[in-house]
Amino acid sequence: MDKMKILVTFANVWKMDNGQSGMTINYFMYGENGDQMISRMDATGGAVGQQRAKCSLEASKREKISFVPGIYEAKMGMKIGSDGKPVLTLEDLDFFSRVQILPEQPEKK
């Protein structure tokens, strides 16, 4: 499928008693230039913002995670979920850029 930029906020390798292992990744859709992460005001009282996505990859992918939070170029795929609907899945990722999350600075007049 396509590649897209994601903002990785957490990664951790896990191992079960039966020997299975993997890595949990929490991320947000970032957009090509951060357009998915632009802060927007919404006083309607409904849901706002973006929920984080969570997936599990093979533990060997941990070596590709260097900086967190960080922007990664993600290879995305598609599978059919248990409800019969298509689900976007993270298949692979490569480091793109470090990130600093800072408060907006007031404009100087």
Side-chain angles (χ1 to χ4, degrees):
M1 183 149 197
D2 286 317
K3 289 193 173 196
M4 65 174 34
K5 291 191 178 104
I6 60 173
L7 171 64
V8 174
T9 58
F10 175 81
N12 190 35
V13 173
W14 51 266
K15 190 167 192 167
M16 294 171 47
D17 291 339
N18 65 5
Q20 282 187 308
S21 65
M23 176 178 61
T24 297
I25 298 178
N26 291 351
Y27 64 96
F28 292 89
M29 300 299 182
Y30 184 74
E32 190 57 35
N33 297 301
D35 46 300
Q36 297 295 317
M37 299 300 295
I38 294 172
S39 182
R40 294 174 175 87
M41 184 181 154
D42 184 329
T44 63
V48 294
Q50 184 183 136
Q51 289 190 14
R52 62 110 171 104
K54 181 178 179 181
C55 72
S56 188
L57 292 175
E58 57 264 19
S60 63
K61 301 284 185 190
R62 175 60 182 89
E63 66 189 33
K64 292 185 160 200
I65 308 278
S66 49
F67 292 96
V68 175
I71 306 296
Y72 288 79
E73 183 103 338
K75 179 182 175 195
M76 305 303 282
M78 192 78 71
K79 71 175 188 177
I80 303 300
S82 60
D83 60 358
K85 295 180 182 177
V87 177
L88 196 60
T89 59
L90 177 60
E91 295 179 349
D92 199 6
L93 72 166
D94 292 301
F95 178 73
F96 181 77
S97 175
R98 292 176 60 172
V99 168
Q100 283 188 9
I101 300 173
L102 302 169
E104 185 176 53
Q105 298 297 315
E107 291 183 29
K108 294 182 179 179
K109 294 182 181 184

